[in-house]
Amino acid sequence: MTTHSNAITRRQFNSLLGLSAAGLACAPLASAAEKTLKLRYIVGSSMYGYTKLAEILPEVRKTGATAIDIWPKRHGDQREQLDKLGEEKFVELLKQNDVTLGCITQYPLGPFGLQDEMRLAARLGCPTMVTGGSGPKDLKGSELKAAVGAFVEKMKPHLAVAEETGVTIAIENHANNLIDSPDSLKWLIELRPSKHLAVALAPYHLPQDEKLLADLIRTLGNGIAMFYAWEHGMGCMTKLPKEQELMQMPGRGPLDFAPLMAALKSINYQGWTEIFMHPVPRGIPILETTTEVTAEINRARDYLAKLL
């Protein structure tokens, strides 16, 4: 009968000691790498259509968000509601609901019409403004780079006001725009003269290719100020059955957000995340009741949380 000894040699003992020390040395690095990214959620007011701010603001915290992004007509009318309420009453409403104004979306004013709006944003403690680009469309290669450079040059006086007010102007890659392709976004960040010019990244308007989108996130890095958790699904331009329209929402359409979340984690993303879609027609809530809209935002947030 064979007997097994529990004794170990000095060499084995020293080797085990070395491995333990190496394991302890690596432990902080491992835990840092495993640290979960905490997304900074913001609620787009247009998700609730033309609903009153007094009804939307109590919903913001229920969605895990701390801030609201107010939209003007035709997608929402909360920016116009702000004017009717006046700044003082608007700020009081925000305080009552423990919500901040995180963004004003302003496509109607365009990138060269935001100076007064940025001063309003500064008074309201709002750090972000989203709009579209401006310039020729359908360019590629050196022509695209030159056009993005010209756009950036024209933005300089507006960026001076952005720096003065502490506002970041985030340009969305909207369809049929100078800034609508991965290359245009890369040039925008490469050529920007100030960190107050950034990107509002909308996967909806880009090829629904997870690797391309994840690589783009890593390339743009801290140049992203707003990330729309928004996929193309079956589109938002024609009236569809509600189940098909909702396929723009994360976890409902075919786009796998896992590589996108991994990319955001890899850059330690600190910008806003807005769970988003457009209803048809514009200006209506994405679902019939305020409670249902909030529940749908939370369903999408649960899907993203599981990926992180």
Side-chain angles (χ1 to χ4, degrees):
M1 179 175 158
T2 310
T3 57
H4 294 282
S5 169
N6 286 327
I8 62 170
T9 65
R10 185 186 293 268
R11 181 180 290 175
Q12 286 170 324
F13 178 73
N14 287 339
S15 175
L16 286 169
L17 266 184
L19 285 170
S20 300
L24 286 169
C26 290
L29 292 174
S31 61
E34 286 158 16
K35 197 175 173 186
T36 305
L37 173 67
K38 192 164 169 53
L39 294 172
R40 293 173 65 228
Y41 282 107
I42 186 167
V43 170
S45 68
S46 63
M47 297 286 276
Y48 295 87
Y50 284 17
T51 301
K52 294 295 177 200
L53 277 163
E55 189 175 330
I56 297 171
L57 288 172
E59 301 300 301
V60 172
R61 285 279 178 177
K62 294 177 194 172
T63 70
T66 57
I68 190 157
D69 168 12
I70 57 170
W71 284 63
K73 288 178 178 175
R74 62 191 176 104
H75 298 84
D77 70 342
Q78 291 74 29
R79 176 61 189 83
E80 288 82 3
Q81 286 182 42
L82 160 55
D83 286 339
K84 280 184 188 167
L85 283 166
E87 291 176 33
E88 204 173 309
K89 279 188 183 170
F90 177 71
V91 168
E92 191 52 45
L93 260 182
L94 291 174
K95 281 182 183 165
Q96 281 169 17
N97 293 284
D98 190 22
V99 170
T100 63
L101 178 62
C103 180
I104 302 173
T105 293
Q106 263 298 6
Y107 289 98
L109 295 178
F112 309 130
L114 298 173
Q115 294 198 12
D116 288 343
E117 198 76 351
M118 285 190 275
R119 292 186 178 103
L120 166 78
R123 293 195 296 276
L124 298 173
C126 173
T128 323
M129 199 154 288
V130 170
T131 192
S134 175
K137 304 168 196 173
D138 303 322
L139 299 182
K140 293 203 170 21
S142 57
E143 282 187 336
L144 175 61
K145 184 179 181 182
V148 173
F151 168 68
V152 166
E153 195 60 35
K154 281 187 197 164
M155 283 299 292
K156 283 183 177 174
H158 310 283
L159 291 173
V161 177
E163 289 182 1
E164 171 200 318
T165 54
V167 172
T168 295
I169 302 171
I171 305 293
E172 190 206 337
N173 54 291
H174 203 284
N176 301 313
N177 194 285
L178 168 67
I179 309 296
D180 69 353
S181 66
D183 282 347
S184 65
L185 290 166
K186 290 173 193 172
W187 290 129
L188 182 71
I189 295 308
E190 189 170 313
L191 299 171
R192 65 177 176 164
S194 162
K195 289 193 175 172
H196 288 266
L197 181 61
V199 162
L201 187 64
Y204 174 96
H205 291 296
L206 292 165
Q208 301 297 282
D209 174 334
E210 292 90 350
K211 185 180 184 307
L212 179 148
L213 293 167
D215 288 349
L216 182 60
I217 288 166
R218 289 188 177 92
T219 301
L220 297 174
N222 68 5
I224 306 170
M226 174 75 79
F227 173 75
Y228 295 102
W230 179 28
E231 64 177 292
H232 191 272
M234 294 186 72
C236 66
M237 301 308 290
T238 54
K239 190 68 186 161
L240 295 166
K242 188 52 75 174
E243 280 301 308
Q244 292 178 5
E245 190 176 280
L246 286 168
M247 284 172 71
Q248 298 170 63
M249 293 287 280
R252 283 194 182 267
L255 188 71
D256 178 8
F257 275 78
L260 282 66
M261 292 296 106
L264 291 173
K265 196 170 173 180
S266 75
I267 64 167
N268 191 26
Y269 177 61
Q270 297 298 306
W272 297 116
T273 296
E274 188 165 315
I275 292 169
F276 194 73
M277 66 169 280
H278 278 313
V280 180
R282 304 295 187 261
I284 64 166
I286 64 161
L287 287 162
E288 282 187 19
T289 69
T290 295
T291 305
E292 285 175 307
V293 174
T294 301
E296 177 56 23
I297 293 171
N298 276 326
R299 183 210 55 76
R301 182 165 63 101
D302 287 346
Y303 163 73
L304 296 176
K306 286 187 180 85
L307 300 179
L308 284 168

